[in-house]
Amino acid sequence: MISATLRWIDVNILALGREMRLSYLPPLMVYVAYGISGLTGIVGTFFVKDYLGLSAAFLAALGFWAGMPWALKMPLGHLVDLIWRWKSWLIFLGAGLIAASLGIMVGLLTDRAAMTAVIPAEAWFVLAALLSPVGYVIQDVVADAMTVEAVPRVDEHGAPISPDARKLMNTTMQTLGRVALIGGLALVAALNLYLFADVETLSEAQKVAIYRKIYLTAMVIPLVSVLGVALSFFLRRRDCRRLVAAGMDPAAAAKLLAEPEERPAPNWWILGGSIGFVAFTLGMGFSRIPFNQEIIFAGSFGIIAFLIAKLTRELEPEARATLLGTAIVIFVFRAIPGPGEGLTWWMIDELKFDQRFLALLSLISSVLTLAGMFLFRRFMAVRSIAYVVGFLTVVGFVLTLPIVGLYYGLHQWTAALTGGVVDAHFIILVNTALESPLGQIAMIPMLAWIANSAPGSLKATYFAIMASFTNLALSASQLGTKYLNHAFIVTRQVKDAATGAVSVPANYSQLGELLIVQVALALALPFAAILVVRAMRLRWA
């Protein structure tokens, strides 16, 4: 048994370390920067709850708008392919937008009066919430393509690397990408836990000072991604010098390392459709037409589907069927609506979850997610996307039931039976520990399949095909969340900042019904998608 355990550790954990290459670091640094973005998550939740009068339905609608830039990953990916030599400047652009978003929040926490003299605090928050995803999606598109570039096509002597070896490298690269992202989340969760160690003794002014410190610390996020670009440049120069020293012509060495054999011609269907997509989205966004979000989603879905159909004509029929089948299953799985911010507000108000406890949950979630990625590495490698999604759906349903139970007093019953040991905090801690390892499982095999099948001259474009379509699913999820929060009204107490008068009373009476409907949808929709794909005779990765 000891021998089998050691062998498992060697295959699933140590082997990943042995397969690590220095060339993987630049995109991993961009992913780490995205993971570090979770540093402001808890602060943002309490800032909105305590200082802004935004409803749960409005925040779900804002989440829809914040998710729209991620639907542009396909045209942005094609743009990266076209200007591949200058892609580093896109990282700098993304870093600038992220820094501007963080700067707005620092301003609101430093001198709110001066900021609100220009526009209301809610408007500043909306601007910050929309700037950051644009910055992150720009960087993410470049990082996705860099993961393909990071896997070498030739060895240190300039000889081609076999397809099987490159497939293993791509899987390792994508696994390490998820490890970097979740590792960043774990790092910032630990920092939040430290900063909020004595939160119950802090005054309101001291809490605000910590919030401000956290947003200032988050300024390291754009710096990390920029350093990744600098490292990429250094590594490319180093490898080029090594090949030249081995007798290769400098121009040939540079082309072999930095450029595919040929650059793609501009695909005007993609570029023109993207311009139409942006114009359509902005035009509808600034209009006051009823159901403009729904119209934008339907139009965006149609435009992206049209662009995918044009681009996938270059694929073989079997590959096309696999791409479409995989996209549909992942799309529906990611489009499941959530309960919205009302659940978090209820936990804060009724279960007394403070900043420190939420930071502890985040740390547990991140650490166990990392462990789960190693634990389920072989599972991800040998199972299909449909099997993985079905497995996660069933397990997710089972693990969501205690959350519903908490609303109906499960913690009161268990606390009475166990002398107060199994209370609400205990149930959530155990639930988080069980659920966390499953968080990133569905993404890794999909990303590895895309990276492995992406042609050299269109790596960013093909990598972004699936991402654009499935990221649009997150916008569908936010729409669904908005509908649920319109159907079942959940409000937390909102006070006037000047007078202290209660303008909106807390009302969590319909939260239980909302949770039941949400759990039922989360169980039914993924299996319906799998059945539809099978009926359409499509395939999945």
Side-chain angles (χ1 to χ4, degrees):
M1 184 175 178
I2 294 176
S3 176
T5 302
L6 292 176
R7 186 165 56 252
W8 182 91
I9 292 174
D10 181 72
V11 171
N12 290 278
I13 300 178
L14 300 182
L16 190 64
R18 291 194 297 269
E19 294 163 13
M20 173 66 188
R21 290 172 172 263
L22 194 58
S23 62
Y24 298 169
L25 272 181
L28 292 180
M29 291 178 71
V30 182
Y31 287 136
V32 165
Y34 186 41
I36 298 174
S37 67
L39 177 64
T40 60
I42 294 174
V43 174
T45 297
F46 279 85
F47 180 83
V48 170
K49 179 182 180 295
D50 296 335
Y51 300 106
L52 300 179
L54 303 176
S55 68
F58 179 88
L59 292 171
L62 179 60
F64 170 84
W65 292 112
M68 289 309 296
W70 292 96
L72 281 170
K73 284 195 71 172
M74 186 174 70
L76 284 174
H78 188 56
L79 179 64
V80 169
D81 281 327
L82 295 177
I83 60 169
W84 185 248
R85 292 184 60 187
W86 314 105
K87 65 183 181 298
S88 300
W89 293 103
L90 293 177
I91 294 288
F92 288 107
L93 173 61
L97 294 173
I98 295 167
S101 174
L102 294 170
I104 289 173
M105 298 305 297
V106 171
L108 285 174
L109 291 164
T110 302
D111 194 347
R112 183 183 175 116
M115 298 285 286
T116 54
V118 181
I119 58 175
E122 288 79 5
W124 279 119
F125 176 77
V126 169
L127 178 60
L130 295 178
L131 281 178
S132 60
V134 175
Y136 284 121
V137 74
I138 290 173
Q139 293 197 343
D140 193 63
V141 168
V142 179
D144 285 345
M146 288 171 68
T147 63
V148 182
E149 183 187 52
V151 175
R153 292 177 290 122
V154 296
D155 61 20
E156 61 271 16
H157 305 295
I161 296 176
S162 70
D164 288 341
R166 294 196 75 242
K167 180 179 179 180
L168 176 61
M169 291 178 185
N170 275 312
T171 302
T172 300
M173 177 73 253
Q174 297 308 319
T175 303
L176 289 171
R178 299 302 98 186
V179 169
L181 194 154
I182 304 302
L185 289 173
L187 177 65
V188 300
L191 180 59
N192 271 315
L193 189 62
Y194 168 76
L195 291 173
F196 289 119
D198 300 316
V199 67
E200 65 275 359
T201 65
L202 299 177
S203 66
E204 200 62 34
Q206 290 173 320
K207 291 180 184 178
V208 170
I210 291 179
Y211 295 169
R212 181 176 178 273
K213 182 187 296 185
I214 288 175
Y215 276 108
L216 285 172
T217 304
M219 287 293 184
V220 74
I221 296 170
L223 177 62
V224 170
S225 58
V226 168
L227 289 177
V229 171
L231 179 60
S232 176
F233 175 78
F234 167 78
L235 292 176
R236 189 162 57 248
R237 291 286 299 271
R238 184 206 63 175
D239 292 340
C240 187
R241 286 196 299 268
R242 186 181 64 236
L243 291 177
V244 170
M248 186 176 290
D249 179 73
K255 183 177 181 180
L256 186 63
L257 291 173
E259 297 288 337
E261 295 181 359
E262 59 181 28
R263 301 306 312 154
N267 188 318
W268 295 108
W269 285 109
I270 293 178
L271 298 177
S274 303
I275 294 173
F277 175 86
V278 172
F280 172 75
T281 302
L282 292 178
M284 291 299 301
F286 286 110
S287 72
R288 296 187 176 182
I289 298 175
F291 304 105
N292 63 348
Q293 289 185 356
E294 289 77 5
I295 295 172
I296 287 174
F297 174 77
S300 303
F301 188 94
I303 291 171
I304 292 177
F306 173 76
L307 295 177
I308 290 176
K310 283 289 182 182
L311 193 59
T312 54
R313 287 182 177 179
E314 301 178 16
L315 299 177
E316 295 295 326
E318 183 176 342
R320 188 186 307 118
T322 301
L323 186 145
L324 294 177
T326 303
I328 291 172
V329 172
I330 294 293
F331 181 92
V332 174
F333 183 68
R334 302 189 80 189
I336 296 170
E341 289 297 313
L343 177 60
T344 304
W345 296 340
W346 176 77
M347 289 181 172
I348 293 170
D349 288 343
E350 301 298 326
L351 302 182
K352 307 305 178 185
F353 291 180
D354 58 18
Q355 294 93 331
R356 182 180 182 277
F357 185 71
L358 293 180
L360 177 61
L361 289 180
S362 179
L363 179 60
I364 291 173
S365 176
S366 300
V367 171
L368 292 181
T369 297
L370 281 174
M373 290 168 62
F374 293 111
L375 180 66
F376 291 102
R377 189 183 180 203
R378 183 173 297 277
F379 172 80
M380 292 183 289
V382 301
R383 298 294 185 179
S384 69
I385 289 289
Y387 188 97
V388 171
V389 166
F391 172 79
L392 294 179
T393 298
V394 173
V395 175
F397 171 76
V398 173
L399 293 178
T400 306
L401 293 179
I403 306 296
V404 180
L406 284 175
Y407 178 81
Y408 290 102
L410 173 66
H411 55 296
Q412 297 170 353
W413 177 67
T414 55
L417 288 178
T418 61
V421 174
V422 184
D423 59 0
H425 290 70
F426 183 92
I427 292 173
I428 288 294
L429 281 172
V430 173
N431 188 265
T432 300
L434 294 174
E435 186 178 17
S436 298
L438 309 175
Q440 292 286 327
I441 290 178
M443 297 303 297
I444 293 177
M446 184 189 75
L447 294 172
W449 174 73
I450 299 170
N452 191 58
S453 61
S457 63
L458 287 170
K459 50 181 169 286
T461 305
Y462 269 74
F463 211 109
I465 287 175
M466 197 76 86
S468 290
F469 192 63
T470 56
N471 282 326
L472 191 61
L474 298 181
S475 296
S477 174
Q478 291 296 336
L479 280 178
T481 303
K482 184 185 75 169
Y483 297 149
L484 287 179
N485 279 271
H486 277 308
F488 305 98
I489 305 300
V490 178
T491 61
R492 88 286 194 194
Q493 186 181 87
V494 177
K495 293 183 178 181
D496 184 90
T499 65
V502 175
S503 56
V504 179
N507 182 3
Y508 298 113
S509 61
Q510 298 186 47
L511 179 60
E513 300 168 58
L514 187 155
L515 291 174
I516 292 172
V517 173
Q518 190 271 330
V519 169
L521 291 173
L523 179 64
L525 292 178
F527 284 108
I530 292 172
L531 292 175
V532 168
V533 169
R534 183 178 292 275
M536 295 173 64
R537 300 184 182 278
L538 297 175
R539 301 166 61 92
W540 40 63

